Each structure stands twice: as structure tokens, then as C-alpha cells.
Amino acid sequence: MKSFEQAVALRRTNYALGKDSGISAETILKSLETVIPAVPSACIMQSARVVLALGDKHQEIWDITKAALQKIVPEQNFPDTEAKINGFAAAQGTLLFFEEMGTVEHMQQTYAAYAENFPI
């Protein structure tokens, strides 16, 4: 198995996703718990949050996504969209990244001169 540094240096986008990456859920979670707090952020506000969805929750995300897109993507274009979504659903899990806006708003109040830049 490659070291983490080798894996990052040699990484490529892989569209042939599968349920068995050879990496345990525990290893994925531990990596996220280590890396996410170390990601740089404006004024060290650390507003990034991550949700790791595995198993049924992972599948549910892509089922919801597919249903939502089916309502807005023209019918003649939907087969390509569905194929892409099915490819993502074939993976071991999903990471959802978002900003915790309470943290952003606190920083806006604390550093009012920069308030308009924090949401960016």
C-alpha cells in the first residue's frame, strides 16, 4: 500500500468507482479527523465541516440527488446525468463539505472591517 504522501502526489480522478477501495471506514474517518482541522482558513476560523456518508446513507444521498435532478434536467438529457449519478453512487462513500455559518458570522462580528470577505 502506498504512503499517504505518495497517494496524494500520484492521485488522479477515477471515474470507475467501486464499493471496495481497500480502505476501511475507520481509516477514512481517522484521516478526515486529522486533516480537516489542519486545512488553512481565513483568520484561522476553521468553519469547514465534513459529513462522511457510508453504506445506506451514501446511497440515499445519490438517490435524493438523482430524484432532484430528474425534475430539472430535460428528459432527453437525463440518461447522461443518470449515468454520472450512478457512477458516483457506485463508490464506497460520499464526503459532503460545507461551511458552518455560525462560525463565519461570529468572525464577521469580531472583525467587522473584513466582514464582507468571510463568506467568500
Side-chain angles (χ1 to χ4, degrees):
M1 184 180 208
K2 296 177 186 165
S3 73
F4 176 75
E5 291 82 8
Q6 289 173 316
V8 170
L10 298 173
R11 66 125 183 91
R12 299 291 178 265
T13 301
N14 181 356
Y15 291 105
L17 303 174
K19 299 283 184 206
D20 184 15
S21 69
I23 302 171
S24 71
E26 293 77 20
T27 299
I28 294 169
L29 184 58
K30 176 83 170 134
S31 295
L32 290 171
E33 290 173 341
T34 300
V35 172
I36 296 302
V39 173
S41 63
C43 295
I44 315 171
M45 74 176 159
Q46 301 305 100
S47 59
R49 302 293 183 264
V50 179
V51 174
L52 171 61
L54 300 168
D56 292 343
K57 293 298 180 184
H58 159 74
Q59 187 61 49
E60 186 178 348
I61 287 168
W62 294 108
D63 291 344
I64 291 167
T65 302
K66 189 187 306 184
L69 288 173
Q70 192 164 21
K71 294 176 185 175
I72 61 171
V73 174
E75 187 176 344
Q76 68 273 17
N77 296 346
F78 191 70
D80 289 339
T81 299
E82 183 175 33
K84 183 66 92 172
I85 296 302
N86 289 343
F88 297 145
Q92 180 176 351
T94 298
L95 293 177
L96 301 170
F97 290 84
F98 63 97
E99 292 294 315
E100 200 288 301
M101 293 310 293
T103 301
V104 175
E105 291 163 3
H106 172 74
M107 295 300 283
Q108 287 177 300
Q109 292 170 3
T110 303
Y111 301 100
Y114 303 103
E116 67 186 49
N117 295 313
F118 283 108
I120 299 170

